[in-house]
Amino acid sequence: MLQYIPYILLFAFATMLIYGWGLWRTMRQGRDLSNMLSAKGISRIKKALKKNGAMTRRELEPFVKGLTARQPFSREQIGVTEPGKFLDSVLPYMVRQKMITEKKDSGKVLYELNKK
């Protein structure tokens, strides 16, 4: 009987680790999905600006509309339902990180990629 105790303890420890990892992943899932969606949106905006040149916020909306992000092995996903609000959060971040520049031209605010 004593020979089985280490196996029982090892099984209990492995179960504890797997449960803890799942709990940690579940707690962070919302933030991770949000970060993934923002990264995808930034990538799409950069591609659009590279292809089309300077664009207004309204012209960028179709490029991020319907964008979704999903973690592997998970059913949960997040998507852009309101492109205007999504761009309101992503564009200022991109300007602060110096990915794009914001310039005013005849009353319109245009966004363009930074020259490297």
Side-chain angles (χ1 to χ4, degrees):
M1 183 67 170
L2 265 114
Q3 65 191 21
Y4 295 117
I5 290 178
Y7 296 112
I8 293 170
L9 292 176
L10 185 63
F11 181 77
F13 183 72
T15 303
M16 181 184 69
L17 283 177
I18 292 169
Y19 179 78
W21 176 73
L23 189 62
W24 177 78
R25 185 173 172 205
T26 302
M27 289 177 12
R28 293 181 43 110
Q29 188 173 29
R31 184 175 18 166
D32 290 343
L33 286 172
S34 178
N35 289 344
M36 288 172 65
L37 186 64
S38 294
K40 274 186 161 182
I42 287 170
S43 176
R44 285 246 181 116
I45 291 168
K46 282 181 167 181
K47 285 180 186 175
L49 291 175
K50 185 175 183 177
K51 182 178 179 184
N52 302 320
M55 299 174 76
T56 65
R57 190 179 150 281
R58 182 145 329 253
E59 293 169 336
L60 287 170
E61 284 182 7
F63 292 99
V64 296
K65 186 176 183 178
L67 190 65
T68 60
R70 182 176 165 226
Q71 287 182 325
F73 310 112
S74 175
R75 291 184 183 159
E76 298 292 321
Q77 81 177 21
I78 189 172
V80 175
T81 55
E82 297 179 25
K85 288 184 179 180
F86 180 73
L87 287 174
D88 284 342
S89 67
V90 171
L91 289 175
Y93 171 78
M94 291 177 75
V95 169
R96 280 193 313 272
Q97 295 297 317
K98 296 183 177 28
M99 294 178 204
I100 60 174
T101 55
E102 182 180 87
K103 67 178 182 177
K104 292 184 174 46
D105 184 30
S106 65
K108 291 182 180 179
V109 177
L110 295 173
Y111 297 96
E112 65 181 352
L113 279 176
N114 269 344
K115 311 286 190 272
K116 287 187 178 182

